[in-house]
Amino acid sequence: MDRSRHQEAPRTPGGTARDPVCGMKVDISAAAGVTEHAGHRYFFCSMHCKERFEADPGRYLDVAGPSRPAASEAQQAGTYTCPMHPEVKQAGPGACPKCGMALEPLVAGGEMEADPELTSMTRRFWVALVLTVPVFVIAMSHVIVGSALYDFLGRTAASWTELALAGLVVVWAGAPIFARGWRSIVNRSLNMFTLIALGTGVAYAYSVVATIAPGIFPASFRDADGHVGVYFEAAAVIITLVLLGQVLELRARRRTSSAIRELLELAPNEARLVNDDGSDRTVPIEQVVPGDRLRVRPGGKVPVDGIIVEGHSAVDESSITGEPVPVEKAAGDPVTGGTVNGTGTFVMEAQRVGADTLLAKIVEMVAAAQRSRAPIQRVADVVASWFVPAVVTGAVVAFIVWAVVGPSPRMAYAIIAAVSVLIIACPCALGLATPLSVMVGTGRGAKAGVLVKDAAVLERMEQVDTLVVDKTGTLTEGTPHVVAVQAADGFDEAEVIRLAAGVERGSEHPLAAAIVEEAERRGVKIPSVTDFESRTGKGIQGRIDGQRVAVGNDALLETLGIDAGSLTESARVQRQKGQTVMYLAVEERVTGLIGVADRIKATTPEAIRRLHDEGIHIVMLTGDTRITAHAVAGELGIDEVQADMLPDRKGEVVKQLQAAGRVVAMAGDGINDAPALAQADIGIAMGTGADVAMESAAVTLVRGDLRGIVRARRLSRATMRNIRQNLFFALFYNAVGVPIAAGALYPVFGILLSPMIAAAAMSFSSVSVIANALRLRRASLD
C-alpha cells in the first residue's frame, strides 16, 4: 500500500507535501528537511520531525495513511477465530483445537472472498460422492436391482472392490475429519469429530479385517449363510454425508457475517481530493488525512466523516441510521462516511478517517459483539463438556447389550448399534445454538441502527423494566430554539425578532444563537448594532438605528428600571411550559418577549408511548430546573421526574432503583451521563452524543432516537427466543436420536437405525440450527 501520495504527488503547481510526522503541509521548496525511504521522498517542517521519522519510519507511515474502515488490525493480521470458542485465535485459517470446526476471519472482509476450507471440503465431497455411489450400489444391489451383484462379481471380488473405493473415501476424502478427531483426543477436548472418527473408523477397520481374514471371526459375527458382514458402504456414506454437512454448514456460516460485509461495502474505495488551486483528483481512500478537502459529486458516497464547507445537498443516511428520509445538508453540517449524496455537489473537510470514522467504529462494535458469549451459553458449555464422554459410554453399553442379548448375528448388530450411537450424536449443533444466533442478531441490530456491545446485553435487555432517561439531547434535540414570540401593542413579531437578533448577533450564548437562527429562518434582515454591551447573567444591550435596544431577563429589566407591564403574565405562562423567557426593550419600554426552549424530538412522544406499551416504567433525571423538567414530563407522560440533578447523583438514583429490585436501563448522550450509563444494568447512548457516553454504554442508538430502545428490546426477545429454540432442537434431537440409534425401537417395532441414516440426521442437525439462526436476519424490529 502506498502511504506517501502527499510526498510523491504535489498538490499544487508550487509543490506542497504533508509532513508524515506532524501532518502539517510543507512547501517543498522551503522544507526544513528531506529524506528518502523505500524509494520515496519525504519532506518535513522541521529537523525534529525529520529525526523522529528516520528513527522509526514505519510508525509514521502508518499515521500518514490511516487504514480504511474495512481494514481493522485483526483483519490485516489475518486473524481467524472459532464461532463456538471465540477465545481461540490464530493467524490464518484452520480448525479449532477444541471443537474441530473451521475457523473464520475475526472480522469479515468487505467482499465475499474465497474460503479455502469451503473449497477443500467441496472438492472432497464430490470425490467422495463419485466413489461412494458404486460402493453403495454393490452393497445394496439386492434391494436396488433385485439380484445381488455379488452373484455376478463374486463375494470376494465385490468385497475387495468396496474396500478399495471406500478406502479412498475414508482415507483421502475423510482425512480432515480423522485429523480433527485425533487432535480432539490429543488436546483432551472431545467433540463431534471424535465421535465421527470413532464410528467410521470402527466400521471401516472391522470391514477391512472381515474382508482380509474372515476366518478369525466366531459364529456370533456370521449370518445364516456363514458370511461375515462388511460395512464399507456405511463408512463411505457416513463420510460423504458428513462432508456434505460441512459444505452446507460452511456456506450457511458465511451468511451470518453478511451484516458486517454490507457495512464494509458502504465505505468507498476512492475520494476526490480538492487541491489548493481548486482542481480535484481521485486518490485512494487510504491516503485521505484529517484536514483534506474532498469533493462529493451527485450520487457519490461520502468518503469519510467530516463537515461541509461549500455547497449543499440532501444526503441519504439510511445505510448508517436506518432513517429512510434524506437529510438536508449545508455548510457547517456534519456528514458521515459511507452515506450517499443526493443531487447536489459539496466540498467537505475530512475530520475522522480510517479507524476513527463512525462506520469503522460500528464495524468494530458489531464484530466484537458477534464474538462475545451470552450467559446462556454456559448451559450449552456444561452439557457439551459431559456430552461426548456420555455418548461414548452409551455406545459401549449399546454394544454390550446387543452382544449379550441381541438376535443373531449378535456381534454384527452390536457394531451397527454402537456405530449409529456414535454417529447420530452431534454436539456441534448444541455448541452452535448460541453463538450463531448472537452473530446474526447483532448484525440485524446494526442494520436497524442498534449497536450492542456484547451478547450479554441481548440476554439482559429483554428483562429491563425501568428506563432512566436524561432530558437534554435524549428526549429533546439538545439545542435551544425559539418557540414563542409575542409583541406588545404597536410592534409585530417580525420587528421583535429583527431587533433582538441584531443585538444578539454579537453574543456567543446558545440562546442568542437560537434568536439569530429564528431571524434567518423567517428571512428577516438582521441590522447592525453599535455600543454593544453584555451583562453577565442578565442579558445584552446596544444601539440599533439610534435606539437603545436591550434583550434579557427580569434582572436586566430591573437594572434598567423598566417594567414588563402587560407581558409579565405572558412570561409567567411561558415559563410554566418550560421555556426560557427573554424580554425585548426599546428605549424605556418593553416591546415584546421571546420564549426559547429545547424542543422535544419529533420521535420522542411515539417512543415514550411504545415504551409504556412494553410495560416499562420511565424515570427522567435532568440537571434542568423543576419547572422545565415537569413541563417536559407532563407533555410526554413520563412516570417519574427528578430535576436539578448533578452527574454523580444520577448514578445514585440508578443504584437506588437497582436496590429496589428493578432491572434498569439508562439512556443519555452527554459526558455527565457516563457514570449513570456505566452503573445501569444496560447503558444506552445516543449515537449523536459524546464519545465518552458511547464508550460507557452497552447499547448505542445510531439515530439518537429513543424508538431504538424498543427495537433493542424486540431484538433481544427475538434473539433469545431463537437461542432457546436452537438449544431445544439440539437437546431434543439428541435425547430422541441416541436411544433410537442404540436400538430402543427394535424390541417393539423391529427397527434398528442404519449408521447411514444416523449420519444424515447428524449432518443436517447442525444445518437446521444455522438455518434457524439465519431467520433473525428477517426479524421485524419496528
Side-chain angles (χ1 to χ4, degrees):
M1 180 183 297
D2 182 7
R3 297 184 181 273
S4 57
R5 55 104 173 158
H6 296 296
Q7 285 70 33
E8 291 299 296
R11 298 183 180 181
T12 68
T16 61
R18 191 177 295 276
D19 187 320
V21 175
C22 66
M24 291 183 59
K25 288 185 178 180
V26 179
D27 184 342
I28 290 177
S29 62
V34 59
T35 190
E36 289 194 10
H37 175 75
H40 298 293
R41 301 181 73 196
Y42 298 92
F43 300 86
F44 303 91
C45 65
S46 67
M47 291 304 295
H48 178 66
C49 285
K50 178 175 180 291
E51 291 169 359
R52 292 177 65 185
F53 178 83
E54 290 176 340
D56 187 3
R59 173 185 176 187
Y60 299 106
L61 293 183
D62 287 341
V63 173
S67 60
R68 59 178 299 201
S72 67
E73 292 181 6
Q75 186 182 355
Q76 289 176 0
T79 302
Y80 281 66
T81 187
C82 173
M84 286 172 57
H85 301 92
E87 69 276 11
V88 173
K89 295 181 177 67
Q90 72 174 43
C96 175
K98 293 187 176 182
C99 66
M101 291 182 63
L103 302 179
E104 54 191 40
L106 191 62
V107 177
E111 299 179 356
M112 190 74 83
E113 63 277 351
D115 183 344
E117 180 74 13
L118 177 58
T119 301
S120 174
M121 287 294 182
T122 302
R123 181 172 61 250
R124 292 176 186 275
F125 163 71
W126 285 112
V127 171
L129 180 64
V130 170
L131 296 175
T132 297
V133 169
V135 175
F136 184 81
V137 170
I138 293 173
M140 305 298 291
S141 61
H142 62 287
V143 176
I144 298 174
V145 297
S147 62
L149 288 180
Y150 280 102
D151 296 337
F152 176 75
L153 297 175
R155 178 169 293 274
T156 301
S159 295
W160 279 96
T161 301
E162 289 183 73
L163 184 153
L165 296 177
L168 291 173
V169 173
V170 172
V171 175
W172 181 80
I177 296 170
F178 285 95
R180 294 175 185 183
W182 174 250
R183 279 200 300 270
S184 72
I185 296 173
V186 172
N187 296 329
R188 298 181 182 179
S189 180
L190 306 183
N191 53 54
M192 64 170 286
F193 294 101
T194 315
L195 303 179
I196 297 169
L198 282 174
T200 53
V202 167
Y204 183 74
Y206 167 81
S207 301
V208 169
V209 175
T211 300
I212 297 175
I216 68 172
F217 290 90
S220 58
F221 284 86
R222 300 178 183 274
D223 58 22
D225 298 327
H227 297 129
V228 179
V230 292
Y231 303 100
F232 291 119
E233 82 287 355
V237 170
I238 289 169
I239 292 296
T240 303
L241 289 174
V242 170
L243 290 171
L244 174 61
Q246 288 292 293
V247 170
L248 296 176
E249 179 182 313
L250 288 168
R251 288 181 177 176
R253 279 167 54 190
R254 297 185 78 197
R255 295 171 59 192
T256 64
S257 298
S258 62
I260 286 185
R261 273 190 289 270
E262 290 173 11
L263 287 170
L264 291 173
E265 288 170 359
L266 296 176
N269 296 319
E270 299 176 330
R272 297 291 301 178
L273 177 68
V274 179
N275 297 314
D276 292 343
D277 63 355
S279 63
D280 56 65
R281 57 194 174 86
T282 300
V283 297
I285 196 70
E286 294 90 346
Q287 297 179 5
V288 175
V289 298
D292 281 348
R293 290 164 60 91
L294 308 171
R295 191 182 308 280
V296 182
R297 295 172 172 175
K301 288 184 177 180
V302 177
V304 296
D305 295 357
I307 189 169
I308 295 178
V309 293
E310 294 178 19
H312 62 86
S313 185
V315 179
D316 180 1
E317 298 183 331
S318 60
S319 56
I320 300 295
T321 66
E323 187 63 45
V325 180
V327 181
E328 292 292 332
K329 300 283 187 178
D333 290 333
V335 285
T336 304
T339 55
V340 180
N341 185 26
T343 57
T345 299
F346 60 84
V347 175
M348 61 173 288
E349 180 180 312
Q351 293 183 325
R352 292 193 298 269
V353 302
D356 294 328
T357 65
L358 176 62
L359 178 60
K361 290 179 179 178
I362 290 175
V363 169
E364 292 300 328
M365 286 182 69
V366 174
Q370 288 188 340
R371 302 304 174 196
S372 62
R373 296 167 70 84
I376 197 173
Q377 176 71 24
R378 289 194 297 267
V379 176
D381 291 343
V382 171
V383 174
S385 66
W386 291 94
F387 188 80
V388 175
V391 170
V392 174
T393 302
V396 172
V397 171
F399 179 87
I400 294 173
V401 171
W402 278 94
V404 174
V405 300
S408 181
R410 294 192 302 274
M411 297 303 294
Y413 279 124
I415 290 175
I416 292 175
V419 169
S420 296
V421 169
L422 291 172
I423 295 301
I424 200 170
C426 184
C428 181
L430 183 64
L432 283 171
T434 296
L436 287 187
S437 294
V438 169
M439 289 181 69
V440 181
T442 50
R444 176 66 184 91
K447 294 175 68 176
V450 178
L451 307 179
V452 297
K453 183 168 288 186
D454 55 48
V457 174
L458 287 174
E459 185 168 339
R460 190 67 166 160
M461 190 68 197
E462 69 171 353
Q463 302 168 5
V464 168
D465 56 23
T466 301
L467 174 64
V468 175
V469 292
D470 175 49
K471 180 182 75 70
T472 305
T474 302
L475 298 175
T476 64
E477 294 178 356
T479 54
H481 298 275
V482 173
V483 295
V485 179
Q486 184 175 343
D489 294 339
F491 285 81
D492 58 25
E493 290 186 7
E495 182 67 6
V496 170
I497 289 294
R498 185 183 80 89
L499 294 174
V503 178
E504 294 284 12
R505 188 161 62 174
S507 172
E508 296 181 353
H509 195 281
L511 298 180
I515 294 175
V516 173
E517 178 190 29
E518 180 67 13
E520 293 174 344
R521 188 186 68 82
R522 296 188 180 209
V524 173
K525 184 177 180 180
I526 302 176
S528 58
V529 62
T530 59
D531 299 333
F532 177 83
E533 181 183 353
S534 175
R535 300 200 176 196
T536 304
K538 297 179 180 180
I540 56 176
Q541 61 184 16
R543 288 192 174 275
I544 296 178
D545 301 331
Q547 302 180 93
R548 189 178 70 168
V549 178
V551 178
N553 54 23
D554 292 286
L556 178 64
L557 294 187
E558 184 178 347
T559 300
L560 298 176
I562 301 174
D563 182 73
S566 61
L567 292 180
T568 301
E569 179 61 20
S570 297
R572 186 186 64 81
V573 172
Q574 300 295 358
R575 291 191 182 101
Q576 288 179 340
K577 294 180 180 179
Q579 299 173 17
T580 299
V581 176
M582 292 178 288
Y583 295 102
L584 171 71
V586 179
E587 294 299 345
E588 302 298 328
R589 177 189 175 192
V590 173
T591 57
L593 63 79
I594 299 173
V596 177
D598 184 4
R599 286 194 301 234
I600 294 173
K601 292 180 181 178
T603 58
T604 298
E606 179 190 354
I608 297 298
R609 177 184 59 77
R610 292 171 65 179
L611 288 166
H612 277 144
D613 291 343
E614 293 271 332
I616 294 179
H617 181 79
I618 303 176
V619 180
M620 183 175 78
L621 306 181
T622 178
D624 215 334
T625 64
R626 293 181 60 84
I627 293 177
T628 301
H630 282 277
V632 172
E635 183 176 348
L636 293 174
I638 289 175
D639 303 306
E640 186 178 339
V641 183
Q642 295 194 39
D644 299 315
M645 300 288 295
L646 296 175
D648 58 344
R649 178 60 184 152
K650 290 183 180 181
E652 290 298 320
V653 173
V654 172
K655 286 183 181 179
Q656 293 171 7
L657 291 169
Q658 292 171 324
R662 294 183 176 274
V663 180
V664 181
M666 165 71 187
D669 76 326
I671 294 175
N672 63 328
D673 297 319
L677 290 171
Q679 174 63 40
D681 295 284
I682 301 290
I684 303 172
M686 303 292 110
T688 52
D691 288 344
V692 67
M694 295 175 63
E695 292 170 1
S696 301
V699 176
T700 298
L701 307 180
V702 177
R703 304 183 197 179
D705 176 356
L706 281 181
R707 291 177 301 180
I709 299 178
V710 180
R711 297 187 185 96
R713 291 256 303 173
R714 293 181 177 176
L715 174 66
S716 172
R717 281 200 295 267
T719 303
M720 295 309 300
R721 182 169 57 247
N722 194 272
I723 288 173
R724 293 181 186 111
Q725 289 169 349
N726 283 347
L727 289 173
F728 172 79
F729 291 154
L731 292 171
F732 178 79
Y733 163 83
N734 284 291
V736 173
V738 171
I740 292 176
L745 299 180
Y746 188 85
V748 179
F749 301 102
I751 298 175
L752 182 60
L753 194 66
S754 165
M756 292 182 290
I757 302 300
M762 179 277 301
S763 296
F764 287 102
S765 65
S766 297
V767 176
S768 65
V769 167
I770 295 173
N772 187 53
L774 288 172
R775 291 192 307 109
L776 281 172
R777 298 170 67 192
R778 300 187 299 274
S780 175
L781 304 182
D782 289 313

